[in-house]
Amino acid sequence: MKFSKLFIPTTKETPNDATLPSHQFLIRAGFISQTGAGIYDYMPLGKIVLDKIRAIVKEEMDNSGANEVQFGFVTPLALWEESGRASTMGNELLRFKDRKNSEYVLSPTNEEAVVNMVKNRITSYKDLPVNLYQIYTKFRDEARPRFGLMRGREFLMKDAYSFHSSAEDLVREFNLMEETYKKVYTKLGLEFRVVAADSGAIGGSGSKEFHVIADSGEDTIVICDSCDYGANIEAATRTALKKEKLETISIEKIETPNCKTIDEVSTFLNTDAYYSMKAVIKRAVYEDKTQIVVFFVRGCDELEETKACNAVNALELDDAFEDDIINAGLVAGYCGIIDLPKNVLVVVDKELEGENNLVCGANEENYHLKGVDLTSIENLNYADLVAVQEGDSCPNCNGKLSYTKGIEAGHIFQLGTKYSKAMNANFLDSNGKAQPFVMGCYGIGVSRLVAAVIEQNHDEKGCLWTKATAPFMVDIIVSNSKKEDEALIGEQIYTELKTAGVEVILDDRINARFGFKMSDFELIGFPYAVVIGKKLVDGFVEIVDRKTLEKIDVKIEDVRSKILELIK
Ligand code: ATP
Ligand code: MG
């Protein structure tokens, strides 16, 4: 391909809202163009990269034995009503009506569509298992589309759905998908980590995420320094904190003037925050109501919101406003477990179970209680609520846990029978008995990966594509295309490399100066450049490595073999 024939509108201007390198560089280097909030067009270079990633995903999915299909981007809302998700998906589900007033949605994921496809077509256990996948557009009306391709509203996802006659067979396929995904990210040339994850709105049990390691990742990943334990902080666990047990004392109310925070109370009473209860007041949102909830964790811990949301089966948790707190009869800063108003829901972190002699608020301005004994309170609801902290102990091996940042590039779920039951999709088992399909589902963020490659691989000048994702492997830069000898050698090397099967682009632009061509090379991030310039008189050209920016002089006749060696 020749630069002069390819639409590559590079620019020095960075969009105002672009904070991430991938967002800035993909726009500046002419890969993508934004048309609306969270909506992007792919220009020629962007389309090449997107298709390369798509091809790798397709190849590995096909190798795994999955079948490619394609679902409609538009799905009747009725299917979503059947599964129950019409009312639980919230505003991310974009609905609209056609001219006949029938309701539809833009597919954000396709569990309903695939169940509809398989239902009544697979009727016997003999025709199971099957895994159907597509690589197609999704739409989610994200509350905060941002970071360019990272969190779009319209995006490209690979979604796969498997059907089984037993939970064991689902586990087999789930493990096969994990291996398949590892091959995909390895082929793409990415550093990644597989971690335990929360199942979110998709539902089901047992899920794993695949994270591309990058400082700018939105997710916090907890990893162990001694074993391969890894989990999204939303699902991470630890060996329970354990300090010496205190003696049981009788409960006592003490004045703690202006001590609203755990730090203030602990300092005032000269106690360890470990032996206190921190109350976090939230408003849980359900389909048809909201509910004030008080979550209690140790004073030295923090509440993990996703765990908290799951503990009360809410659609989401919001911060409680001052009015909510007052109306519920709670006293901010002094909320405690004893004598709470009946209308609030209470959940206590499971690490506090069995504890005595604790400090907590007295539900009265400026007062706390000492000597609170949880064993004396019946019917308390305990759940895992804490956010694992750096330095905590690994639940598998007691090694030290630490944080790293990741970009969620894939997510696999063991769904079970949630959708097949809701949509009445059954098969006949070997005894002739009707059973709901056991299902799994598996997603890869194909367009998010375009951005993730750059988040992990860039410098201050621009993109550093991996070999598998680079739009072209080699950029032949003719320093001055008006010089006939330079242009001629450029063409010659171009043809030679192309014939050798190298993906190569020739920067033959007549009116672009060398500096401009060079900065385009650096911004776009082709792995190598062959620069044809001053040394041509001695029969030499320069090969530039984009990553290190190191230059080597190579004889014209050796360019082909040198490039083939480099790109191996
Ligand atoms: P997130 O937690 O980032 O919102 P999710 O858990 O909602 O993602 P899944 O439903 O698991 O996403 O979707 C499968 C994959 O699709 C994700 O792992 C991610 O790579 C990609 N993806 C999800 N939402 C977006 C989006 N808004 N823009 C681009 N890619 C996305
Ligand atoms: Mg996910």
Side-chain angles (χ1 to χ4, degrees), residues 117-233:
M117 182 182 276
V118 166
K119 184 175 164 179
N120 299 327
R121 289 197 171 95
I122 293 183
T123 52
S124 161
Y125 73 98
K126 289 179 196 151
D127 299 325
L128 293 170
V130 66
N131 189 344
L132 304 177
Y133 82 95
Q134 68 163 357
I135 302 173
Y136 204 44
T137 304
K138 304 287 175 298
F139 193 95
R140 293 184 184 176
D141 203 355
E142 297 269 357
R144 291 178 60 213
R146 57 190 188 280
F147 308 143
L149 294 184
M150 204 71 91
R151 185 169 297 283
R153 292 197 297 162
E154 185 182 309
F155 58 98
L156 189 66
M157 197 210 286
K158 186 284 296 176
D159 45 328
Y161 309 88
S162 66
F163 292 80
H164 309 269
S165 57
S166 71
E168 297 75 58
D169 195 52
L170 166 61
V171 171
R172 177 203 52 71
E173 186 72 16
F174 183 82
N175 293 338
L176 174 65
M177 283 296 113
E178 176 172 346
E179 292 314 310
T180 301
Y181 277 35
K182 286 183 187 165
K183 284 182 194 159
V184 168
Y185 302 114
T186 305
K187 268 197 177 171
L188 289 171
L190 292 168
E191 189 197 337
F192 67 97
R193 187 108 192 185
V194 188
V195 304
D198 171 63
S199 294
I202 305 255
S205 65
S207 89
K208 285 187 178 177
E209 285 171 353
F210 298 76
H211 282 265
V212 172
I213 303 302
D215 295 339
S216 62
E218 278 191 278
D219 286 277
T220 299
I221 304 301
V222 177
I223 53 173
C224 175
D225 68 358
S226 325
C227 74
D228 66 359
Y229 178 78
N232 191 308
I233 191 150

Side-chain angles (χ1 to χ4, degrees), residues 17 36 56 138 162 203 219 239 251-252 261 274 283 303 366 389 398 408 411 437 442 468 478 503 507 528 555 568:
D17 64 333
I56 289 173
K138 304 287 175 298
S162 66
D219 286 277
T239 305
I251 205 161
E252 191 188 337
T261 66
Y274 173 88
R283 200 160 55 103
L303 183 75
N366 293 330
Q389 297 179 32
N398 276 326
E408 185 192 319
H411 198 167
F437 292 108
Y442 319 92
V478 177
E503 289 168 327
D507 198 343
Y528 299 99
K555 280 204 180 129
K568 243 197 331 244

